[in-house]
Amino acid sequence: MHPVSATEALGRHIDFARDLLVKTIRYRHDRFAEAHVVSESRYGNGFGAQWRDLLDDTAEAFQQHAYQTHRLMPAGYKLPIVNNCLVYVWRVPDSSRGVEAFASSPTRINGFSAVPPQPMLFEPGPGAVDDATTDHDQQLSELTDALEEAAVTAMPLVLVAVQSSPSQLQKIEWGVAELNAETGDVSLNGRAMLWLAELQTETPAKDVASFDSGVPTPPVLEPRKQEGTDPNAR
């Protein structure tokens, strides 16, 4: 059954995946934002190119914890596989229609038909290397069960949508992407907030009374000193 949310798709890996994704994305955004400030560029083209680094960073971050990857052709992007799901981190372009326009290239379209890899002898994740040496018989049993249950169907695609500007990382959302074969639009099932920037509450106008409540203080009017009783005063 196709999962309806990232929580269902990633299973017990959900908390680890959430923390690792947020940490990786924030690190990459900070590096690009700093470079943009230093360059004093009038344009955001260089900043927008971070989408490629986000893919590489994410794949490397999960690989360090023994997760498998899948190379998505024809461009050859390498994506992490978490709980038999592809995880695709994507910076949403400012000029696009948003997530709906995700499947705008043959490579991304192929992300919806990627076949799951052969099951591993041990579960990846934190402490995966140590876990590999424990209870070998149980691992073999689990591997047999996984092989029997494995169906040659496409892996669900967990899309991590990043919205940012050179000055601020705005929000990170995720969900299970679904491609409409007729329209080419992508929907995000179980769409949920992964990370949201804090609101900027400290503003120069914070002590200004609002006109929507209370009684506004009328302005104080005083006559000009040269305006006396003399009608010819100027």
Side-chain angles (χ1 to χ4, degrees):
M1 181 180 294
H2 205 71
V4 297
S5 67
T7 301
E8 183 177 324
L10 301 181
R12 71 176 186 87
H13 302 265
I14 183 73
D15 292 335
F16 174 74
R18 178 192 297 110
D19 294 343
L20 188 61
L21 285 167
V22 171
K23 177 182 177 182
T24 303
I25 293 169
R26 294 186 68 181
Y27 175 85
R28 177 51 58 188
H29 168 82
D30 290 347
R31 301 286 79 74
F32 266 80
E34 182 178 351
H36 184 78
V37 172
V38 172
S39 69
E40 297 182 351
S41 174
R42 298 176 179 80
Y43 310 100
N45 299 17
F47 177 82
Q50 69 174 276
W51 65 269
R52 191 66 179 89
D53 280 293
L54 283 174
L55 287 176
D56 294 338
D57 291 349
T58 306
E60 291 174 4
F62 279 96
Q63 274 185 307
Q64 291 176 0
H65 295 278
Y67 284 89
Q68 290 180 288
T69 59
H70 177 85
R71 192 169 290 280
L72 206 57
M73 302 306 289
Y77 304 155
K78 195 161 59 175
L79 306 182
I81 300 173
V82 181
N83 203 35
N84 263 2
C85 298
L86 279 183
V87 177
Y88 197 123
V89 177
W90 183 52
R91 180 179 181 270
V92 182
D94 297 334
S95 59
S96 76
R97 293 181 293 124
V99 170
E100 292 79 7
F102 171 73
S104 60
S105 72
T107 301
R108 292 178 193 153
I109 293 175
N110 286 339
F112 294 93
S113 57
V115 177
Q118 292 295 325
M120 301 173 67
L121 282 173
F122 56 90
E123 280 288 321
V129 177
D130 295 336
D131 293 343
T133 61
T134 63
D135 201 350
H136 185 258
D137 291 340
Q138 181 180 354
Q139 291 169 1
L140 287 178
S141 176
E142 292 176 353
L143 175 61
T144 302
D145 292 341
L147 286 170
E148 292 174 350
E149 294 175 3
V152 186
T153 57
M155 288 185 283
L157 176 62
V158 175
L159 179 59
V160 182
V162 180
Q163 294 190 21
S164 63
S165 68
S167 61
Q168 186 183 36
L169 177 61
Q170 297 160 343
K171 63 180 177 181
I172 307 171
E173 296 177 293
W174 67 356
V176 178
E178 183 175 357
L179 175 65
N180 186 319
E182 295 182 358
T183 65
D185 287 348
V186 172
S187 57
L188 207 53
N189 298 331
R191 189 169 187 155
M193 192 68 68
L194 193 58
W195 183 89
L196 180 65
E198 295 182 359
L199 294 176
Q200 301 295 324
T201 56
E202 296 295 332
T203 64
K206 64 178 182 179
D207 296 328
V208 177
S210 171
F211 285 107
D212 64 358
S213 63
V215 180
T217 303
V220 178
L221 299 178
E222 294 181 354
R224 298 170 58 184
K225 292 183 179 180
Q226 64 269 32
E227 293 179 350
T229 55
D230 184 358
N232 297 322
R234 292 182 172 83

